[in-house]
Amino acid sequence: MASKAEKIVAGLGGIDNIEEVEGCITRLRTEVKDASLVNEAALKAAGAHGVVKMGTAIQVVIGTDADPIAADIEDMM
């Protein structure tokens, strides 16, 4: 079974679509190449409480485990 980080990566359009990721208290702040590849429903299914899109800047609200998930995603990059 895929980890929470892997599910979030898939929801963000795959590892190749992610340019930057940073944990920020309760959010993952990400920069993606193509915002149209971001699947909000998949992110919510992965445990996101919300998704904020501002162009190619995507914030995924996931709670207090944002920092360890960001570290897991960085390890995949």
Side-chain angles (χ1 to χ4, degrees):
M1 185 169 159
S3 70
K4 190 169 187 175
E6 290 169 328
K7 291 177 184 175
I8 290 171
V9 165
L12 289 170
I15 203 73
D16 292 335
N17 195 43
I18 301 171
E19 293 189 324
E20 268 182 51
V21 64
E22 173 186 2
C24 182
I25 305 174
T26 61
R27 297 173 182 236
L28 284 179
R29 296 178 186 263
T30 66
E31 186 73 32
V32 296
K33 293 175 186 168
D34 184 351
S36 71
L37 298 176
V38 175
N39 183 333
E40 209 168 318
L43 290 169
K44 288 185 178 178
H49 303 292
V51 179
V52 179
K53 293 181 179 181
M54 296 165 289
T56 58
I58 311 295
Q59 292 184 17
V60 184
V61 182
I62 55 173
T64 55
D65 56 350
D67 283 326
I69 289 175
D72 289 347
I73 293 171
E74 285 175 348
D75 288 345
M76 289 185 242
M77 294 175 76

